[in-house]
Amino acid sequence: MNILFDQMQLKQKLIREFTPNWFAVVMGTGVVALILAHFPFASSSFYRLGMMLWIFNSALFIVFSVLYLARWFFYPEEAKQILSHPTMSLFLGTIPMALATVLNGFLSYGMPLFGELAVLIALKLWYLDVLLAILVGWIVPFCMFSRQQHTLPSMTAMWLLPIVAAEVAASSGGLILNVAPHLPNAVTILWGSYILWGMSVLPAFLILAILVLRLALHQIPQKELAISSWLSIGPIGTGALAMLLLGQAAPQVLQQHNLQLLGPFLQHSGLFIALVFVGVGIWWLGIAIFASLHHLRQGIPFNLGWWGLTFPLGVFILALQQLALQLQWSSLTVIVHGLMMLLLGLWVLVTLKTIRGAYSGQLFFSPCLQIWKQQQENH
């Protein structure tokens, strides 16, 4: 009887303390699965490994979604406190970005399993992803402006999380069009993806500009948030990737609508923008490495923020890989392969630390719930 009671308490705690930053695990694992489809050595073996990892990652997304929906269903008063929390609310952006890795996997791995149905599933999931990305991109910043307390010294690159989701959806739109350019609504997906790109990349660069000011005035974040510096690479890598994928798909899509001249222009401008973005990304990558090394001597405590090492670097690698492919740039391809190996090593490290932390229970902690409990006690 006591064992049954303990199990019920454990499940209750798991649901009550479950927070959306767990979706960062799906983001990081998903991008590694997508990269394994393009791995340079023993490609067939790595492709199968990537497929298994994508299937596992998809199951993980479903489990996390059920847990988080259960929190809103069983504990709605506690769950909505996240909208008032200045840090945890930012992680709502990880939900649509995690979903994007799942739908992209249908395009990379789903065809052998489901045939043409994989494209239709990916398309339906893309519409859901776009809806979630837009809602998060509006609601979270509005909550930041209206009900949360923020200061310049406390700002980190995590401010980017709710904003970047829209451009991740834009890159997924480009991927869909490259796989299925003759969809009936292909041109709508193309124009919609460019609009999503603008909704995300331009606000993200505004945040990055403020972040430079914050770093200059108040130095790099404390060691608990050291890994957040890597998040700055995310919108740059995804922005470049979206321009490359949309530009590559544009000529074939627009040819069906008597816009033949516009297609090559978008393709060439996408290449140019991606090259410029890669330059900016390399600068931020250097800053992130130096910030991490600065704190490494004292030791960087592990938290789920460590998954910020994987997804931003992963999308930057995917952008470089796509750029090398479209430009037929062999020397860049060699660099991409080296970065792929580095990413795989980082993913293994972070995964092992996450398993250990989840087993001990220390990673199941909701800061907004603790603040809410204190407020209830004070009243």
Side-chain angles (χ1 to χ4, degrees):
M1 193 68 178
N2 288 335
I3 296 175
L4 185 61
F5 180 72
D6 289 342
Q7 288 179 341
M8 289 179 62
Q9 278 194 319
L10 182 62
K11 291 178 181 177
Q12 185 184 48
K13 174 180 170 57
L14 182 63
I15 293 172
R16 292 187 71 184
E17 301 281 352
F18 191 83
T19 50
N21 54 350
W22 276 98
F23 285 93
V25 178
V26 180
M27 290 169 57
T29 303
V31 78
V32 170
L34 295 173
I35 281 176
L36 284 172
H38 307 284
F39 225 64
F41 312 114
S43 57
S44 60
S45 300
F46 279 105
Y47 183 87
R48 287 194 294 270
L49 176 62
M51 179 182 288
M52 289 187 291
L53 193 60
W54 167 69
I55 293 171
F56 168 76
N57 195 55
S58 301
L60 207 60
F61 178 81
I62 293 171
V63 171
F64 289 172
S65 298
V66 169
L67 285 172
Y68 195 52
L69 287 172
R71 188 183 184 194
W72 278 92
F73 182 78
F74 292 110
Y75 309 103
E77 191 65 29
E78 297 175 6
K80 72 179 184 181
Q81 300 304 314
I82 193 172
L83 298 176
S84 299
H85 197 277
T87 301
M88 294 310 300
S89 61
L90 302 173
F91 284 100
L92 289 170
T94 63
I95 299 175
M97 288 191 281
L99 177 58
T101 66
V102 174
L103 78 88
N104 290 352
F106 272 100
L107 300 169
S108 297
Y109 297 111
M111 304 292 279
L113 298 174
F114 307 104
E116 293 299 320
L117 180 62
V119 177
L120 296 177
I121 294 172
L123 185 60
K124 299 297 183 184
L125 291 177
W126 184 74
Y127 288 133
L128 176 60
D129 188 51
V130 169
L131 177 63
L132 290 174
I134 292 174
L135 288 176
V136 169
W138 277 338
I139 293 172
V140 175
F142 180 74
C143 289
M144 293 173 69
F145 305 155
S146 61
R147 63 168 69 183
Q148 299 173 9
Q149 298 298 318
H150 292 272
T151 61
L152 190 61
S154 66
M155 178 195 184
T156 67
M158 287 191 292
W159 279 26
L160 293 164
L161 289 174
I163 300 295
V164 177
E167 66 181 90
V168 174
S171 65
S172 296
L175 194 59
I176 290 171
L177 292 177
N178 276 281
V179 174
H182 298 292
L183 286 170
N185 55 345
V187 73
T188 302
I189 296 173
L190 182 69
W191 299 142
S193 296
Y194 275 111
I195 291 171
L196 288 167
W197 190 89
M199 286 180 62
S200 180
V201 171
L202 300 183
F205 270 87
L206 292 176
I207 292 173
L208 288 173
I210 300 170
L211 184 60
V212 170
L213 175 66
R214 177 252 178 269
L215 292 172
L217 295 180
H218 303 287
Q219 283 68 62
I220 58 177
Q222 61 268 33
K223 60 182 181 180
E224 289 79 10
L225 297 171
I227 303 300
S228 67
S229 301
W230 291 77
L231 296 176
S232 305
I233 309 165
I236 299 168
T238 313
L241 180 62
M243 283 292 99
L244 290 167
L245 292 174
L246 291 170
Q248 188 176 41
Q252 198 168 358
V253 172
L254 296 178
Q255 190 174 14
Q256 307 166 49
H257 297 271
N258 297 319
L259 294 169
Q260 295 91 336
L261 296 178
L262 184 56
F265 169 77
L266 292 176
Q267 185 174 21
H268 296 149
S269 60
L271 284 167
F272 173 73
I273 292 170
L275 278 168
V276 174
F277 273 37
V278 164
V280 180
I282 290 171
W283 185 83
W284 275 107
L285 178 61
I287 297 298
I289 292 171
F290 286 136
S292 300
L293 292 175
H294 177 80
H295 286 304
L296 199 58
R297 289 171 296 180
Q298 293 89 22
I300 302 174
F302 178 76
N303 52 54
L304 288 176
W306 276 49
W307 283 96
L309 285 169
T310 54
F311 186 79
L313 182 59
V315 293
F316 191 65
I317 292 171
L318 286 173
L320 289 174
Q321 187 264 341
Q322 188 62 225
L323 187 64
L325 185 65
Q326 291 191 26
L327 293 178
Q328 299 181 353
W329 192 356
S330 57
S331 55
L332 180 59
T333 303
V334 175
I335 296 172
V336 169
H337 291 168
L339 290 173
M340 285 180 174
M341 298 296 292
L342 172 64
L343 177 64
L344 189 59
L346 288 173
W347 176 79
V348 171
L349 171 67
V350 178
T351 298
L352 292 175
K353 285 184 173 292
T354 302
I355 293 172
R356 188 183 307 151
Y359 182 78
S360 66
Q362 69 182 46
L363 294 180
F364 294 102
F365 174 75
S366 175
C368 46
L369 177 58
Q370 305 307 316
I371 294 174
W372 181 76
K373 285 180 177 178
Q374 292 174 2
Q375 292 173 345
Q376 294 297 106
E377 290 171 3
N378 292 336
H379 288 306

